Amino acid sequence: MPMVKAEKIWYNGALVDWDDAKIHVLSHALHYGTSFFEGARCYKTKKAPACFRLKDHIRRLLDSMKIYRTESPYSLDELIDAILDTIRVNKLEECYIRPIVFRGYGELGVNPAHCPLETIIAVWGWGSYLGAEALEKGVNVCVSSWLRIAPNTLPVMAKVGANYMNSQLIKMDALASGFDEGIGLDVNGMVSEGSGENIFLVRDGVIYTPTMSSSNLCGITRNSVITIARDMGITVVEQTIPREMLYIADEVFFTGTAAEVTPVATIDHVTVGNGRRGSITEKIQKKFFDIVSGEEEDQYDWLLYV
Ligand code: PPE
């Protein structure tokens, strides 16, 4: 899907034309994957466009940098203000938000210290991640032969560009075999997550999701869904999940900023439950969309109006 261009991109404090936001080919990030990024969403509501859990996303961005001994040129509040400005100048009612901090052009060699930190905020219209129909019908996925990143190699709590080479292997493999998405297992063979989403399953009315020790990203949508589900009175268990638990689940769904709450219809050609969006998935998905769209009272203080 080609990108739907917006007008301006925020680049180190200035708003530049979309087509002029360019970098040098010898930028450190291009050679060594030195980039820290986030993906957040701004939703259309009756009142005004509303960013979903923006502060949590920017906090994770700063955390990602801290893990790599990198100090952000901008504070959390400065980044939030910059994002709101960028949405305003682009006059978007709803959009995906991609802040990225990377090491630019200075010198080559592994040590990043002498390359300047560049900060960019791009926003644009991004529809359903796994297809518009997927939110209702669900997606067909496989368990990838590629494992997720091992502990103490690339830290997965940091959302960095380099980690996504692993996601790309999982995604490309899945697509090449005709699936919509792939699920990565951790180095112990336990369920980790999708190439760009966290994973949940339901069995006998209880929701299960991998703990944070299965090489999965600490997803903000994951946290939102756990909160919503528990407040609905549904038990949520965070535990290590053996692969075979996926096949006998009544329902499976993905969560993520881009993917939102997307049901899984089949895994490795095995039908999940009745092969359609399950009732618990549907309840949680509805609640999630009601909250982000401002249809429901913002009881968790998750919305930041533009
Ligand atoms: N795991 C991975 C590997 C991941 O990339 C994401 C987000 C998640 C889990 C869910 O995290 P959260 O968005 O905080 O709930 N993936 C982002 C990037 C996707 C992309 O293709 O780029 C996203 O959903 O924005």
Side-chain angles (χ1 to χ4, degrees):
M1 241 195 314
M3 282 183 92
V4 187
K5 283 188 197 177
E7 268 181 48
K8 300 279 185 189
I9 288 178
W10 191 96
Y11 194 153
N12 291 336
L15 286 156
V16 303
D17 286 342
W18 180 281
D19 289 325
D20 295 336
K22 293 181 178 151
I23 64 163
H24 198 277
V25 292
L26 294 179
S27 294
H28 199 268
L30 196 54
H31 296 255
Y32 307 111
T34 334
S35 68
F36 311 91
F37 74 99
E38 269 305 315
R41 270 190 195 270
C42 174
Y43 286 93
K44 184 178 170 178
T45 79
K46 278 188 206 124
K47 218 160 63 173
C51 299
F52 183 66
R53 301 192 69 172
L54 189 57
K55 199 172 165 189
D56 297 307
H57 281 282
I58 300 308
R59 184 178 178 209
R60 188 171 65 187
L61 178 68
L62 299 178
D63 287 347
S64 298
M65 297 176 73
K66 188 166 188 193
I67 291 167
Y68 280 90
R69 302 172 183 278
T70 303
E71 202 170 323
S72 173
Y74 299 96
S75 69
L76 185 138
D77 288 336
E78 286 169 337
L79 288 166
I80 288 176
D81 285 345
I83 288 167
L84 297 179
D85 280 348
T86 311
I87 296 170
R88 283 186 205 115
V89 297
N90 283 293
K91 300 182 194 72
L92 292 168
E93 285 189 311
E94 55 187 347
C95 58
Y96 186 78
I97 304 163
R98 171 58 55 86
I100 179 162
V101 181
F102 64 93
R103 290 283 181 179
Y105 171 55
E107 59 181 44
L108 281 191
V110 170
N111 179 14
H114 305 297
C115 295
L117 282 166
E118 313 263 10
T119 307
I120 283 172
I121 297 160
V123 299
W124 70 91
W126 199 0
S128 306
Y129 191 55
L130 296 165
E133 281 202 329
L135 292 173
E136 201 193 317
K137 297 215 165 120
V139 287
N140 300 306
V141 310
C142 62
V143 173
S144 183
S145 60
W146 290 103
L147 299 180
R148 288 279 301 153
I149 302 156
N152 260 336
T153 59
L154 289 164
V156 291
M157 280 186 88
K159 190 170 168 71
V160 298
N163 290 3
Y164 285 80
M165 291 305 279
N166 174 258
S167 289
Q168 288 179 51
L169 288 170
I170 292 169
K171 185 76 181 185
M172 289 190 294
D173 230 21
L175 294 178
S177 303
F179 297 102
D180 302 310
E181 182 56 291
I183 297 167
L185 305 178
D186 69 14
V187 284
N188 298 312
M190 295 297 174
V191 175
S192 176
E193 61 178 347
S195 76
E197 318 85 2
N198 289 116
I199 191 164
F200 286 76
L201 64 89
V202 182
R203 184 165 159 101
D204 295 336
V206 175
I207 295 180
Y208 298 86
T209 195
T211 60
M212 293 323 305
S213 352
S214 288
S215 296
N216 43 334
L217 183 72
C218 199
I220 289 161
T221 321
R222 173 187 183 277
N223 174 270
S224 308
V225 161
I226 291 173
T227 305
I228 289 169
R230 286 191 175 143
D231 282 355
M232 288 170 114
I234 304 168
T235 304
V236 181
V237 181
E238 296 175 66
Q239 63 157 73
T240 49
I241 294 185
R243 172 181 184 164
E244 59 272 27
M245 216 166 144
L246 295 172
Y247 305 120
I248 57 171
D250 301 322
E251 303 178 27
V252 175
F253 60 90
F254 283 133
T255 66
T257 297
E260 298 167 311
V261 179
T262 299
V264 172
T266 67
I267 301 173
D268 294 335
H269 303 294
V270 176
T271 303
V272 176
N274 59 16
R276 289 181 292 112
R277 175 175 60 190
S279 63
I280 289 183
T281 306
E282 190 174 350
K283 256 195 230 163
I284 286 169
Q285 195 189 47
K286 182 175 186 304
K287 188 91 174 174
F288 175 81
F289 283 121
D290 283 350
I291 292 174
V292 299
S293 63
E295 288 296 308
E296 178 152 328
E297 197 212 315
D298 182 21
Q299 60 168 304
Y300 306 109
D301 201 17
W302 282 342
L303 301 186
L304 176 63
Y305 288 94
V306 175

